[in-house]
Amino acid sequence: MNHPRTLLKTAAACALLAGTAAAFAHVTLPRGGATVGSDYDAAFRVGHACEGAKATTGLAVRLPKGFLLSDAQARKGWKLDVQKNTGDGEVRWTAESPQAALPANERAEFVLRGKLPGTPGPLWFKVLQTCDVGSVDWADVPASGNSTAGLKSPAARLDVVAQGVATVDVRDGWVRQSVPGQSGTGAFMKLTAPTGARLVGISTPAAGVAEVHEMKMEGDTMKMRELTTGLDLPAGQTVELKPGGYHVMMMDLKQALAKGSTVPMTLRFEDAKGQKTSLELNLPVGAPAGAEAAAPVHQHKH
């Protein structure tokens, strides 16, 4: 995942990132970033055991430079060893018996807590997964840039973002293309807020008005309405904006949106405490394969 401000530069990048997540989502952190200098609960999710193994028997997380560990969460039946050295510390969980080990077909989270550095940028947590048969060291870091594409065993990554930048993960975003004279179109994406948030506003120079709308069947009639109070993003749950459901309605288009171009867009969020943040995106114009067959966005008249 790239920095939230540049996550969706091109459609190709989106597809590549989504494919990478599906292929390598073995030991990962929750989607979405975290704010500089904040306390962060790092929940390492184990997706499956090592190849050919029946269970995960150990997990060792090496702490990156700048991450100051405060504590780690114990697990019943597992031994917890903690070294708190900044930059070279380690947290290790080891199953005390075969019965306590994590079966290959089960998922679980191993949680530690610490303070994040005061400078934005990616943090890479290298994780050694030990199994009843073999082990995998999730420690590959890109030589340049932030993409894990092509890495066989990528380290778990956390994007540390500046104050005011929303810690919301945005994936698979796109805008439906339009033709000259067309007044409106739709934008679609998947949003995940690790600690919960509400999407309360949208703006783009490509349109005079941009709003979150909902389409749904009421009896035999498809109706559309603006979500005037915003769209709730429950903590850790992915909310999809898609044709025929929630979507961004762009009205009073300034010009036709040609396939292959990009549309800058700013999303504004608010958390449960009233803290306001925003996220700047560049969404590609043109539907990914299969998306155009979905329900079209209605043209609104104002």
Side-chain angles (χ1 to χ4, degrees):
M1 181 180 67
N2 290 326
H3 188 282
R5 290 182 181 274
T6 57
L7 181 63
L8 300 169
K9 283 188 176 179
T10 65
C14 291
L16 186 58
L17 287 168
T20 300
F24 296 123
H26 305 323
V27 177
T28 58
L29 287 168
R31 292 179 177 178
T35 306
V36 292
S38 64
D39 292 321
Y40 177 70
D41 289 328
F44 294 90
R45 190 168 192 251
V46 178
H48 58 68
C50 313
E51 185 176 357
K54 294 182 179 180
T56 295
T57 58
L59 205 74
V61 179
R62 282 100 81 191
L63 305 177
K65 185 177 180 181
F67 182 84
L68 183 60
L69 180 70
S70 56
D71 58 67
Q73 189 177 98
R75 292 181 60 85
K76 185 178 180 179
W78 291 64
K79 180 183 178 183
L80 175 62
D81 294 303
V82 177
Q83 297 176 359
K84 287 192 175 182
N85 302 335
T86 303
D88 60 355
E90 182 179 88
V91 176
R92 184 168 59 251
W93 293 268
T94 307
E96 295 180 317
S97 67
Q99 292 73 29
L102 179 65
N105 61 346
E106 292 185 14
R107 291 172 171 79
E109 290 183 344
F110 294 74
V111 183
L112 57 85
R113 183 178 178 83
K115 184 170 287 294
L116 299 176
T119 303
L123 280 186
W124 299 93
F125 292 81
K126 298 179 180 181
V127 183
L128 176 63
Q129 179 184 11
T130 306
C131 302
D132 59 326
V133 176
S135 64
V136 181
D137 194 8
W138 303 102
D140 292 349
V141 175
S144 61
N146 296 325
S147 175
T148 57
L151 299 182
K152 183 178 179 181
S153 304
R157 174 181 162 186
L158 172 68
D159 282 307
V160 180
V161 301
Q163 293 282 349
V165 176
T167 58
V168 177
D169 179 67
V170 182
R171 298 190 181 223
D172 303 338
W174 61 283
V175 176
R176 195 185 298 279
Q177 65 193 87
S178 66
V179 297
Q182 185 174 332
S183 63
T185 190
F188 316 96
M189 64 198 76
K190 296 174 183 177
L191 304 172
T192 308
T195 57
R198 179 175 290 271
L199 176 61
V200 295
I202 303 166
S203 60
T204 172
V209 178
E211 301 170 342
V212 179
H213 286 206
E214 178 186 26
M215 289 180 66
K216 67 177 182 179
M217 294 296 297
E218 292 186 5
D220 296 329
T221 305
M222 175 68 79
K223 292 189 176 181
M224 183 183 297
R225 66 185 180 94
E226 178 191 0
L227 300 181
T228 55
T229 60
L231 176 63
D232 187 41
L233 305 176
Q237 297 182 28
T238 297
V239 177
E240 184 173 6
L241 279 62
K242 61 183 180 180
Y246 297 127
H247 60 277
V248 175
M249 188 67 210
M250 298 169 58
M251 296 168 280
D252 186 20
L253 294 179
K254 302 306 179 184
Q255 61 185 35
L257 303 178
K259 185 177 179 65
S261 61
T262 59
V263 174
M265 186 173 291
T266 300
L267 307 183
R268 296 187 298 279
F269 301 90
E270 188 172 310
D271 65 15
K273 298 179 181 179
Q275 171 112 23
K276 294 177 171 58
T277 56
S278 63
L279 197 61
E280 296 176 4
L281 310 172
N282 280 295
L283 299 181
V285 176
E292 283 289 4
V297 175
H298 290 186
Q299 293 297 310
H300 289 228
K301 294 181 180 180
H302 293 262

